[in-house]
Amino acid sequence: MDNVIRRRTPGARLSRFVVYAVLVGMALVYLMPLVIMLLTSIKPLEEIRPGTLLALPQAPTLAPWITAWGEACTGMRCEGIGGYFWNSFSIVIPAVAISTGIGALNGYVLTQWRFKGSEVFFALMLFGCFVPFQVVLLPMARTLGWLGLSSSTAGLVLVHVVFGIAFTTLFFRNFYVAVPRELVSAAKLDGAGFLRIFWRILLPVSAPIIVVSVIWQFTQIWNDFLFGVAFSAYETQPVTVALNNLVNTSTGVKKYNVNMAAAMIAALPTLIVYVLAGKYFVRGLTAGSVKG
């Protein structure tokens, strides 16, 4: 038996080596644009003009990053994305928290407190996931104007909450389907009410799907450009709109190093979120896949 194992070991090692070589090669190809962005962002313009994208910087500098951060826009000209970076946080944090909370409550009701027409209600919520954003720009603009929230941070938060609820409801509903109904029934017999069951029983086991909802919503809202450019004023624009303004600013010289640095700064929050919580994202997605 040991001889058989020894004879198979070199082949198994070769197969493993091939698999890892392919994976590393694909990872390098996938990361190549990021490497080019990083190298370009720390080069002076004199080193970029010859067109050697993959060449290491001869005189690395952080000046492009400082310029990219810069100051807020003045008039029609954008000098940096720093101020808008914090605008995005002021939009993302409340929108993610509200849509995740409402989605969790919806998922709880649709699985453990079903009512007449609940399946139709869920179908309509699911339909909301497939409505193109461009279709609702005009109705949403009129609604924000009627509410007095046009061109405001609160208006952008409301827009993202409305569109995020459909997705978060789907996540939590599929997750709570796997929770035994007997657990909720026992809590009802003990006198626990609607909110107490939700707060003391369902939420403590919802950490995986909460992480999924937070990562999904954070990424979608942070990277949004359409709603940001349509429903914001200069002082309330998110970082994606500021990045577009910076890249498209015509000053006679294209500052590719500044543009790349600004793009890296804008992408850092979502990159950090995925690095810190990426493994929980996959775990949460598969947690409710057994039932429902």
Side-chain angles (χ1 to χ4, degrees):
M1 186 65 178
D2 292 339
N3 292 333
V4 175
I5 294 176
R6 291 192 186 96
R7 283 198 298 270
R8 292 180 178 177
T9 298
R13 290 178 178 175
L14 179 61
S15 299
R16 180 175 297 181
F17 174 79
V18 172
V19 170
Y20 277 104
V22 171
L23 292 176
V24 170
M26 295 302 295
L28 291 176
V29 172
Y30 185 80
L31 292 175
M32 190 61 65
L34 181 62
V35 173
I36 293 175
M37 288 176 62
L38 181 60
L39 292 177
T40 304
S41 69
I42 57 176
K43 291 180 182 178
L45 280 176
E46 291 73 16
E47 294 185 27
I48 299 174
R49 291 193 180 99
T52 53
L53 292 176
L54 292 177
L56 295 176
Q58 300 300 315
T61 175
L62 292 178
W65 287 72
I66 298 173
T67 303
W69 183 260
E71 299 176 355
C73 288
T74 55
M76 295 295 292
R77 184 177 177 183
C78 188
E79 301 293 344
I81 65 172
Y84 303 108
F85 190 84
W86 305 117
N87 283 350
S88 286
F89 273 111
S90 65
I91 296 168
V92 168
I93 293 175
V96 169
I98 295 171
S99 60
T100 300
I102 296 177
L105 193 60
N106 286 344
Y108 166 54
V109 172
L110 291 173
T111 54
Q112 305 297 335
W113 292 75
R114 293 183 179 178
F115 53 90
K116 185 177 181 180
S118 60
E119 295 299 328
V120 176
F121 177 78
F122 177 68
L124 292 175
M125 294 288 292
L126 188 61
F127 177 75
C129 297
F130 302 98
V131 176
F133 293 166
Q134 294 84 351
V135 174
V136 299
L137 286 180
L138 182 57
M140 185 61 72
R142 292 179 64 89
T143 301
L144 292 178
W146 178 68
L147 294 174
L149 297 176
S150 297
S151 303
S152 67
T153 299
L156 282 173
V157 170
L158 177 61
V159 171
H160 288 297
V161 167
V162 169
F163 280 93
I165 288 175
F167 291 97
T168 56
T169 298
L170 175 63
F171 293 152
F172 281 95
R173 186 262 183 188
N174 289 343
F175 182 82
Y176 288 152
V177 162
V179 177
R181 294 183 62 86
E182 292 78 10
L183 186 64
V184 176
S185 299
K188 292 179 182 178
L189 290 176
D190 289 338
F194 176 85
L195 291 178
R196 187 176 182 85
I197 294 173
F198 175 67
W199 185 259
R200 300 297 296 273
I201 297 178
L202 271 297
L203 275 186
V205 301
S206 302
I209 203 63
I210 289 176
V211 171
V212 170
S213 178
V214 168
I215 292 178
W216 176 271
Q217 284 292 90
F218 186 95
T219 304
Q220 296 298 313
I221 298 173
W222 186 272
N223 292 332
D224 169 70
F225 175 79
L226 180 63
F227 291 152
V229 75
F231 302 132
S232 66
Y234 282 111
E235 64 275 7
T236 59
Q237 288 175 346
V239 68
T240 49
V241 179
L243 178 61
N244 176 74
N245 294 341
L246 179 66
V247 171
N248 292 320
T249 297
S250 178
T251 59
V253 178
K254 271 293 184 182
K255 298 181 180 180
Y256 296 104
N257 50 358
V258 175
N259 296 344
M260 293 299 179
M264 293 287 292
I265 293 173
L268 277 178
T270 51
L271 180 63
I272 292 172
V273 167
Y274 270 104
V275 169
L276 296 180
K279 61 180 180 180
Y280 301 106
F281 184 78
V282 177
R283 186 183 305 174
L285 283 178
T286 58
S289 61
V290 178
K291 295 177 63 179

